[in-house]
């Protein structure tokens, strides 16, 4: 199975590119914050001096708490799509007597190989960013001049071990369905969207939403002097609410698609009707595309609005030094989280569109032209962007309102409209071209061969 797993990775490098990038970012992030912890722990007491701000350990913990969760979320998402693109091959292995255990072992080998491949680049990037981050922290007076990033392999090994553990756990869940059903059924299911969203997933989504509401209440009830704690609670609440969106995504996506389809069908009767039928008929696939866009908009919008609200509140109470420090920290965190969300968005959209080659080929066989398919994909891309922006904005609005209540006493935050415009534009620039470029490649080729399965 090891040789088959490696051969499959060589045959489908694009399927593992997103997973490789996600693992690289996760390992680099874990190495970054592990190195900062090590720098604080290994610095002699004589080299430490009183500093302004929360301190290096608190900063690393606050950053790492959210960043590591988002990193693992992106890894799990990327791994799921890497396996989905291999669904047909895994099903075929089941039909030629491969056991469920062998299929799961194949997936584990792929996860281990990708993690090992990305470990060294992730370590190098993590240590480099840690040194740059620590230099900026020292410049702002939040760390003593004698604090240095130590030369120790422990943060790197912990980073790779944690990424591998998350990858293996996610692979066990993702490979469970294909390895448990009958071989013939596995091959049939590889080309269809199966079943309805189950009650356990819906209940888990409701539970996550309830947890997010509790975190919002925690953020809103923080005293005005605990701005950092209110911000972390609000940001964590936005992440939990986005998990709830991911779990209940098929329901929300189908509802929003129905609401947005009315003007779309009026503006583009032919392509709009076909796009609407595709989106509502394949709610899980639509949800897979919408959730990363919501993640990008929700996290970025929450960070930008909280930073703007805190800045306006600081003008009336805090010193300019504290305000500048807080803004720098928020910008650094926004950059990191934005990278994760952008990678997740692009990887998901490319994977979702690429796996529709047979669907496009079938439409071509019944008379659709490539130009008509591209118009349909354009409408789908616009609708996907709109749904992701709406869901992300709702989450960001709730988190920002809770933060504003704690900081200013009013649930109405200060919204930086120009920055929000950049976020929405960025989401559209990732989504629409990502879908269209992948779709342009997917609609080419011999339709009969693609439908018959002789080409992939």
């Amino acid at each position: 199975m090891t040789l088959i797993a490696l051969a499959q990775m060589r045959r489908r490098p694009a399927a593992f590119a997103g997973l490789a990038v996600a693992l690289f970012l996760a390992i680099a992030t874990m190495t970054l914050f592990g190195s900062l912890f090590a720098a604080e722990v290994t610095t002699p007491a004589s080299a430490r001096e009183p500093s302004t701000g929360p301190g290096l350990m608190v900063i690393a913990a606050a950053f790492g708490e959210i960043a590591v969760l988002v990193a693992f979320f992106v890894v799990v998402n990327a791994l799921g799509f890497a396996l989905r693109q291999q669904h047909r091959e895994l099903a075929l292995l089941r039909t030629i007597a491969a056991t469920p255990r062998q299929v799961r072992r194949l997936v584990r080998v792929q996860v281990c190989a990708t993690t090992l491949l990305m470990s060294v680049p992730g370590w190098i990037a993590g240590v480099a960013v840690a040194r740059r981050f620590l230099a900026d922290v020292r410049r702002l007076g939040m760390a003593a001049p004698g604090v240095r990033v130590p030369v120790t392999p422990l943060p790197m090994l912990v980073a790779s071990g944690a990424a591998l553990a998350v990858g293996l756990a996610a692979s066990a869940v993702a490979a469970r369905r294909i390895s448990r059903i009958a071989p013939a059924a596995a091959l049939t299911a590889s080309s269809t969207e199966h079943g309805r969203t189950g009650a356990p997933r819906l209940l888990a989504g409701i539970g996550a939403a309830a947890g997010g509401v509790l975190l919002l209440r925690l953020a809103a009830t923080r005293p005005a002097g605990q701005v950092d704690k209110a911000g972390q609670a609000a940001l964590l609440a936005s992440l939990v609410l986005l998990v709830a969106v991911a779990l209940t995504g098929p329901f929300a996506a189908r509802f929003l698609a129905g609401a947005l389809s009315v003007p779309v069908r009026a503006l583009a009767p032919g392509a709009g009707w076909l796009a609407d039928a595709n989106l509502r008929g394949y709610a899980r696939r639509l949800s897979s595309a919408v959730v990363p866009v919501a993640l990008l908009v929700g996290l970025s919008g929450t960070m930008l609005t909280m930073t703007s609200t805190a800045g306006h509140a600081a003008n009336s109470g805090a010193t300019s030094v504290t305000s500048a420090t807080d803004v720098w920290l928020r910008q650094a965190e926004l950059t990191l989280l934005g990278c994760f969300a952008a990678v997740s968005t692009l990887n998901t959209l490319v994977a979702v569109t690429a796996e529709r080659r047979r669907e496009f080929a079938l439409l071509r066989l019944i008379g659709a032209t490539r130009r008509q398919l591209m118009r349909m994909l354009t409408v789908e891309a616009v609708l996907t962007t709109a749904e992701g922006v709406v869901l992300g904005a709702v989450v960001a609005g709730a988190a920002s309102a809770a933060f504003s209540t704690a900081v200013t006493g009013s649930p109405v935050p200060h919204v930086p409209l120009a920055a929000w415009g950049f976020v929405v534009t960025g989401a559209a620039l990732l989504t629409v071209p990502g879908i269209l470029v992948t779709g342009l490649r997917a609609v080419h080729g011999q339709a009969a061969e693609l439908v018959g399965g002789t080409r992939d």
Side-chain angles (χ1 to χ4, degrees), residues 120-397:
V120 174
W123 295 343
I124 295 172
V127 171
V129 175
R131 289 175 177 170
R132 174 61 184 272
F133 185 86
L134 183 56
D136 289 338
V137 170
R138 287 198 303 263
R139 177 176 54 82
L140 291 171
M142 293 184 291
V147 178
R148 295 288 186 274
V149 174
V151 180
T152 173
L154 184 59
M156 306 174 190
L157 296 176
V158 171
S160 292
L164 181 61
V166 170
L168 291 175
S171 68
V173 175
R176 184 169 177 263
R177 178 180 176 271
I178 188 64
S179 65
R180 292 188 65 180
I181 61 178
L187 189 59
T188 303
S190 67
S191 59
T192 61
E193 179 166 292
H194 50 278
R196 297 182 176 181
T197 301
R201 177 170 176 170
L202 178 59
L203 292 176
I206 295 174
V213 171
L214 291 177
L215 286 170
L216 289 177
R217 179 175 176 79
L218 177 65
T221 55
R222 293 298 88 193
Q226 297 181 1
V227 176
D228 290 336
K229 291 183 178 180
Q232 288 304 118
L235 190 58
L236 185 59
S238 68
L239 183 58
V240 174
L241 290 175
L242 287 168
V243 171
V245 169
L247 291 170
T248 60
F251 300 97
R254 187 181 289 113
F255 172 78
L256 286 177
L260 296 174
S261 66
V262 176
V264 169
R265 286 189 174 190
L267 295 174
W273 181 89
L274 189 56
D276 176 53
N278 270 327
L279 293 180
R280 288 203 279 179
Y282 289 85
R284 287 190 179 184
R285 184 175 67 195
L286 173 61
S287 172
S288 299
V290 166
V291 167
V293 181
L295 177 70
L296 174 63
V297 174
L299 290 179
S300 301
T302 300
M303 290 295 301
L304 287 170
T305 306
M306 288 198 310
T307 301
S308 179
T309 302
H312 277 70
N315 289 334
S316 60
T319 64
S320 59
V321 174
T322 302
S323 178
T325 299
D326 181 72
V327 168
W328 179 83
L329 290 174
R330 294 298 178 190
Q331 288 175 343
E333 194 169 9
L334 174 61
T335 301
L336 183 61
L337 296 179
C339 287
F340 283 124
V343 167
S344 178
T345 300
L346 195 58
N347 178 61
T348 301
L349 295 174
V350 169
V352 166
T353 307
E355 67 182 11
R356 299 174 64 186
R357 290 172 65 89
R358 287 182 177 82
E359 175 191 330
F360 297 151
L362 182 60
L363 289 172
R364 286 168 54 199
L365 286 178
I366 61 176
T369 65
R370 290 190 177 95
R371 180 172 296 180
Q372 288 173 324
L373 292 177
M374 292 307 297
R375 284 203 295 266
M376 177 195 75
L377 277 176
T378 301
V379 175
E380 288 186 12
V382 172
L383 285 173
T384 299
T385 304
E387 291 194 28
V389 169
V390 169
L391 290 173
V394 169
V395 171

Side-chain angles (χ1 to χ4, degrees), residues 409-433:
S410 169
V412 181
H414 184 270
V415 181
L417 295 179
W420 264 94
F422 282 115
V423 170
V424 174
T425 302
L429 290 177
L430 278 174
T431 305
V432 178

Side-chain angles (χ1 to χ4, degrees), residues 55-66:
L56 182 61
M57 188 72 78
V58 175
I59 293 173
F63 270 62
E65 175 186 342
I66 302 298

